[in-house]
Amino acid sequence: MQGQWQLFLPHHKHVGGVGPKVLQSTRAGYRISFADRVPSLICTKSAMKFELTDDGLLRTHGVLATAFGLQLGLAPRASHDLFMGSSAATTPFYRPVVRSLGMVTGGLGAMSLAVSAADNSVAAKKNALKVVGGVLLLSVASDIVDMTQESARRPTAVPISAINATLGALCLWQSSRKAKSG
């Protein structure tokens, strides 16, 4: 039988439950003890910090672009209908073009993953970020033109454009930052 547990937070706040557990404030962060079943877990405050890195942005782009490229390549008709919607009747579908777009998009994503995983120079990663940022922002401009001409579905194009604009701007901003020493 397990007894009631107590969670002690800073400032003596108390929360009850099952099984003995304690949250202790330490200098590095917080320590959570789970009786004798699970060893203590320390969650440091620095582990919760969000930091933009060249590799992190390249990996994010790599995963998103590769997944999008696979979608275009494996399901070209469904992708066309998803992005073109009611204008699909007036926007011609041509499978080789959609598949080629998928290969190029997936290839750019794979390149980002490869550059982020390699021990390249800082300059190579900064240049890759510039290319990725530029391509993403050009994609946003193309989406805006398509939306104004009503050849793209706004419910699909707006969130994709927002993601591309944010990631593209972050890539360009990160490419201009000096590398941290140490």
Side-chain angles (χ1 to χ4, degrees):
M1 271 195 28
Q2 292 187 1
Q4 291 291 318
W5 62 268
Q6 295 181 352
L7 178 63
F8 294 99
L9 299 172
H11 308 294
H12 306 291
K13 292 181 182 175
H14 170 268
V15 181
V18 177
K21 300 179 184 183
V22 176
L23 176 67
Q24 302 168 341
S25 178
T26 65
R27 188 164 208 180
Y30 296 96
R31 177 183 299 276
I32 304 172
S33 300
F34 296 91
D36 52 75
R37 282 198 241 144
V38 181
S40 295
L41 170 71
I42 297 176
C43 179
T44 63
K45 293 175 186 172
S46 63
M48 294 184 264
K49 186 173 103 177
F50 177 77
E51 183 177 345
L52 287 177
T53 64
D54 296 351
D55 290 336
L57 284 170
L58 288 170
R59 280 188 209 113
T60 300
H61 171 261
V63 168
L64 292 174
T66 303
F68 185 56
L70 284 172
Q71 176 192 349
L72 292 170
L74 296 176
R77 184 63 191 194
S79 299
H80 179 266
D81 292 345
L82 175 67
F83 298 114
M84 299 305 163
S86 62
S87 68
T90 58
T91 306
F93 169 72
Y94 188 55
R95 184 178 312 271
V97 170
V98 177
R99 281 200 171 143
S100 293
L101 177 62
M103 286 186 282
V104 170
T105 303
L108 182 60
M111 182 220 53
S112 291
L113 290 172
V115 170
S116 73
D119 264 345
N120 293 328
S121 70
V122 173
K125 291 185 183 198
K126 297 292 186 189
N127 287 336
L129 285 168
K130 289 175 188 169
V131 169
V132 167
V135 167
L136 289 173
L137 293 180
L138 285 172
S139 169
V140 171
S142 173
D143 288 346
I144 290 171
V145 169
D146 290 343
M147 284 187 281
T148 58
Q149 295 176 349
E150 297 184 5
S151 62
R153 291 183 66 226
R154 285 182 190 266
T156 306
V158 168
I160 289 173
S161 294
I163 291 168
N164 286 343
T166 302
L167 188 56
L170 286 173
C171 286
L172 289 176
W173 178 71
Q174 183 71 17
S175 72
S176 68
R177 294 180 69 199
K178 293 207 186 291
K180 288 183 179 177
S181 59

